[in-house]
Amino acid sequence: MEGHQGRVLQVLFSPDGQQVATSGVDGTARLWDLAGNQLAVMEGHQGRVWQVLFSPDGQQVATRGEDGTARLWDLAGNQLAVMEGHQGPVYEVLFSPDGQQVATSGSDGTARLWDLAGNQLAVMEGHQGRVLQVLFSPDGQQVATRGEDGTARLWDLAGNQLAVMEGHQGPVEQVLFSPDGQQVATRGVDGTARLWDLRGQQIAQYEAERMAINPDWTRIAAVQQPDRLGENAVVKLWRIDNLDGLLARACTYLRPYLLQSDSVTDDDREMCNL
């Protein structure tokens, strides 16, 4: 697939695997078939095109550039919308799960929500410094952001801040929703991974310079890098419990105390169904 003038910055398959999209330093994104034939050229950005992304149904393409815009295209390369409002480069563009909205984050400390015509629906302001990622919840009703200010934040679709997940020392490098949308995981440059509820309360913390969580959100793999030359990295697996699981484990340890201590109240015993 030859056509870009200079470096290709991203390559991505369409959802059905039948097409390939690329973006480059030449200010274009391009669409190709599997035989390497160029199907469309998306031209309009001023400067590098950092990201290209297919809509969930594969019928549209979103791009983001260093010109402070995100743009929407059809598969013929026709520009459908320009999402313009960020003051500086756009760091992420993302379709909502139903493909009807687009979220962006930028160097101006904001995340923004748009419709498919390029109309701005909401501005999420609160981070101090760059907003590095924006992420929809599985049901598409909430948005999580992560920033270089050491926080992750939760928002509704009107741009109202619902929670601040604060505790990392330094930028947050990763944010994830649980499959049921009831928990958020973050990982920071401080070497920790943390689990939070939707109120922004920290549930758990792990030492992790890299992390992965299994699909059913029951295990977290946490990488601990060596402190000194010659030592080996360690990968630890931890169990993730929901609230009921945490309570059951706590009650297992507390049961003898709850049964034998005279200082325990009836309410305390009822907490563990004793």
Side-chain angles (χ1 to χ4, degrees):
M1 300 173 192
E2 296 183 28
H4 284 286
Q5 303 300 308
R7 294 177 58 206
V8 172
L9 299 175
Q10 188 184 12
V11 59
L12 181 72
F13 279 100
S14 60
D16 65 4
Q18 297 304 302
Q19 295 175 323
V20 174
T22 57
S23 67
V25 299
D26 59 358
T28 72
R30 298 171 188 251
L31 196 63
W32 316 79
D33 66 19
L34 298 185
N37 299 305
Q38 185 170 280
L39 304 175
V41 180
M42 292 160 260
E43 295 182 276
H45 283 286
Q46 303 300 309
R48 293 177 175 88
V49 180
W50 290 109
Q51 183 186 2
V52 60
L53 180 71
F54 284 97
S55 60
D57 64 5
Q59 296 305 300
Q60 295 177 323
V61 172
T63 56
R64 66 171 175 89
E66 65 180 353
D67 60 359
T69 71
R71 298 172 187 247
L72 197 63
W73 316 79
D74 66 18
L75 299 186
N78 299 305
Q79 185 170 279
L80 304 175
V82 180
M83 289 158 272
E84 192 168 11
H86 285 287
Q87 304 301 308
V90 177
Y91 285 140
E92 177 133 31
V93 60
L94 185 69
F95 283 99
S96 60
D98 64 4
Q100 296 305 300
Q101 295 175 325
V102 174
T104 58
S105 65
S107 63
D108 59 357
T110 72
R112 298 170 188 250
L113 195 64
W114 316 80
D115 65 20
L116 299 186
N119 300 305
Q120 186 171 278
L121 305 175
V123 180
M124 294 161 248
E125 297 182 272
H127 283 284
Q128 303 300 310
R130 297 177 296 175
V131 181
L132 304 172
Q133 183 185 358
V134 60
L135 181 69
F136 283 97
S137 60
D139 65 3
Q141 296 305 301
Q142 295 176 323
V143 171
T145 56
R146 65 175 175 89
E148 65 179 2
D149 61 357
T151 72
R153 296 170 189 249
L154 195 64
W155 316 79
D156 66 20
L157 299 186
N160 299 305
Q161 185 171 278
L162 304 176
V164 180
M165 289 158 270
E166 192 168 12
H168 286 289
Q169 304 300 309
V172 179
E173 292 190 309
Q174 191 176 5
V175 62
L176 298 170
F177 274 104
S178 62
D180 63 4
Q182 297 304 301
Q183 292 182 347
V184 174
T186 59
R187 179 182 58 80
V189 298
D190 60 357
T192 68
R194 301 168 191 241
L195 294 182
W196 314 80
D197 65 22
L198 299 186
R199 299 170 299 167
Q201 300 298 311
Q202 185 173 302
I203 300 170
Q205 179 173 325
Y206 312 90
E207 292 184 18
E209 294 189 34
R210 295 287 186 272
M211 76 170 180
I213 301 178
N214 66 342
D216 62 3
W217 206 263
T218 58
R219 293 287 189 275
I220 180 171
V223 178
Q224 298 174 17
Q225 303 289 9
D227 292 328
R228 291 182 293 273
L229 196 64
E231 294 183 344
N232 295 323
V234 175
V235 180
K236 292 186 177 181
L237 289 178
W238 303 86
R239 183 168 66 185
I240 298 175
D241 280 321
N242 58 23
L243 183 59
D244 290 340
L246 289 171
L247 184 59
R249 290 174 63 193
C251 286
T252 298
Y253 291 110
L254 290 173
R255 183 168 283 107
Y257 172 75
L258 294 175
L259 289 172
Q260 299 170 14
S261 176
D262 294 333
S263 63
V264 174
T265 67
D266 290 339
D267 288 340
D268 291 335
R269 291 190 176 95
E270 287 179 6
M271 180 177 64
C272 290
N273 297 317
L274 298 177

